[in-house]
Structures are given as structure tokens and as C-alpha cells.
Amino acid sequence: MTRPLASLQTDPVLMTVNGARLIADPSGVAMWVDEGVMLVSDLHFEKGSAYAVRGQFLPPYDTRATLTRLAGAISIYQPRRVVALGDSFHDLGADDRMDPGDADRLCELVASVEDWVWIEGNHDPKPPARFGGRAGFELDLGPLHLRHEPQAGDRPGEVAGHLHPCAKISGQGRRVRRRCFATDGARLILPAFGAFTGGLNVCDDAYAPLFRQRPHAYMLGRDRVYAVSSARLLGD
């Protein structure tokens, strides 16, 4: 059973997207408490091993770190449904490269919720079936339309990932760049959740077809989220 809003965080940061109230969590998940739905995007399991295959060696623990953070968020919010908004696996070979212990943990995590939905991404058009859950290209949930890649034009209720949004601000004599949720109240782009994922500044031209004006950013801190108006955002 999903916990009531008041018990989740001392001071939860809320985003309203096409009428739906979502908690912006510092981990990078968005929680729709009223419906018991957790949204997460761009897990990119096995990105480190994909780089290693090409001769660029990174610490091979990104999948484990990502699973640990995701399990923590699920433990806190206890969602009935988890929707992973695409690029959950870095490539089609991720399944074969995944450590058996990590694979078992992912299976257990998927089985721990009532309904787990894998939205297909550009990196993983067919998520591996052995981990459980169900797959689809898009999903409508009330006022929200969930997909991986955001579409140009007015799309009220669209919640997507793909762009790995980050925001940059200046304050107290220094500049800070962090992953963020990007929203104008009508649509939302989630930050990339994976341990080795980078980010694209929300001031980049790639966001122009999606928002009539520069979106607001909800920047991820260590243990809280910071709501930042579009006027404060800086380009790279």
C-alpha cells in the first residue's frame, strides 16, 4: 500500500504536470503518490561494461550502484506501479554482460511491485523478458502520457526522458551544475537515473521545440531537490 504523502519526506518538493502532483525526489525518481506510480528514466544498466568492450575501461559497478539507489527509492515510496521510461538497458547486449548477482537483484526488484512497465527506448527497443514486468512503447495514465523520447510541439501531459536534463546556476561565488527535472507545468522531462549517465543543459537548443519558454528546473541535491526558476538558469 502506498504511504500517505505526509510520511514520505519532511518537506517534499512537488511538481504539477498537467494537473498531476508529482514528488521530485533527490534520487531522480518522480512519485505520483495519488496513483501509487513511480516514474524513472534512463537507467542505462551495463553502460560501464559497454564502454569496456570498446576498450574504454570504467569501474564495472554502475549497474549495482543504480540498482541500490532504485531499490532505496522503492523502499521509501512503496509504489504499486513502476514505469521505467526507456533506455533502461544501455544496449541489446547488456543482458548477457550483467553480473548474475545484479541480474537476480533486478528480478527481485521487479517482482516486488504489483506492476512494472518497461517503456521501450532507443537503446533498448526490446527490454529482456527474463527480468519480468511488461513492455510497451507508450502508456497513458490519466492526464499523463508516458514515453521515452519527447515529441516536438505542444504535448500536455507528456512525461519523457531521453535528453538527460541538467541545469546550471550561479550563487555564492560559484557555479553549480546538477541533474534536474525540467518542466513548464504542462510536460515533464525526467533526469537520467543511471550512475554513468551525463546530462544536457536545459538551455540547449534541443529543448526549444519542446517548450514555448525555457522550462523551470528542479535540481537534484544530495538529500533534497531545489526548485529553480527559468530566469536563473545558465548555459554551459
Side-chain angles (χ1 to χ4, degrees):
M1 181 176 180
T2 303
R3 298 180 186 178
L5 178 62
S7 70
L8 297 175
Q9 295 185 55
T10 303
D11 188 21
V13 175
L14 293 173
M15 306 176 291
T16 300
V17 181
N18 203 36
R21 294 195 318 155
L22 308 177
I23 291 177
D25 189 81
S27 67
V29 306
M31 184 65 199
W32 190 6
V33 175
D34 293 342
E35 299 296 328
V37 176
M38 177 178 288
L39 307 174
V40 65
S41 190
D42 294 275
L43 296 164
H44 282 272
F45 292 133
E46 294 304 307
K47 183 172 183 176
S49 63
Y51 275 72
V53 169
R54 298 196 297 269
Q56 185 175 346
F57 294 99
L58 298 173
Y61 309 116
D62 57 304
T63 294
R64 196 161 303 165
T66 299
L67 284 170
T68 296
R69 289 171 47 237
L70 184 56
I74 290 174
S75 176
I76 291 171
Y77 291 105
Q78 299 179 15
R80 294 196 309 271
R81 175 181 289 155
V82 172
V83 183
L85 297 176
D87 285 1
S88 299
F89 300 84
H90 187 67
D91 56 28
L92 296 179
D95 182 11
D96 294 332
R97 297 193 307 272
M98 190 177 291
D99 178 87
D102 293 338
D104 289 344
R105 190 176 188 190
L106 177 55
C107 289
E108 293 170 0
L109 201 58
V110 172
S112 72
V113 298
E114 182 179 324
D115 184 28
W116 188 292
V117 183
W118 302 104
I119 298 296
E120 298 175 10
N122 54 298
H123 282 259
D124 55 353
K126 294 182 180 179
R130 72 172 174 127
F131 297 113
R134 57 191 176 98
F137 185 67
E138 298 177 349
L139 181 65
D140 286 315
L141 291 178
L144 302 183
H145 182 76
L146 312 179
R147 57 160 55 102
H148 174 63
E149 189 169 353
Q151 302 298 299
D154 291 335
R155 306 278 178 168
E158 181 186 78
V159 180
H162 183 63
L163 291 176
H164 300 200
C166 284
K168 186 177 181 180
I169 59 172
S170 178
Q172 299 181 340
R174 65 191 183 101
R175 293 189 173 187
V176 177
R177 192 179 193 273
R178 293 285 188 272
R179 303 183 196 195
C180 73
F181 299 90
T183 183
D184 60 356
R187 72 198 303 171
L188 171 68
I189 303 177
L190 267 66
F193 193 89
F196 282 172
T197 49
L200 180 66
N201 193 308
V202 294
C203 296
D204 190 273
D205 289 343
Y207 295 90
L210 309 176
F211 299 100
R212 292 188 178 186
Q213 297 179 339
R214 184 174 296 167
H216 300 299
Y218 290 79
M219 298 176 67
L220 308 185
R222 182 181 299 274
D223 54 12
R224 61 170 291 190
V225 172
Y226 299 85
V228 181
S229 70
S230 58
R232 293 190 59 199
L233 300 176
L234 303 173
D236 289 333

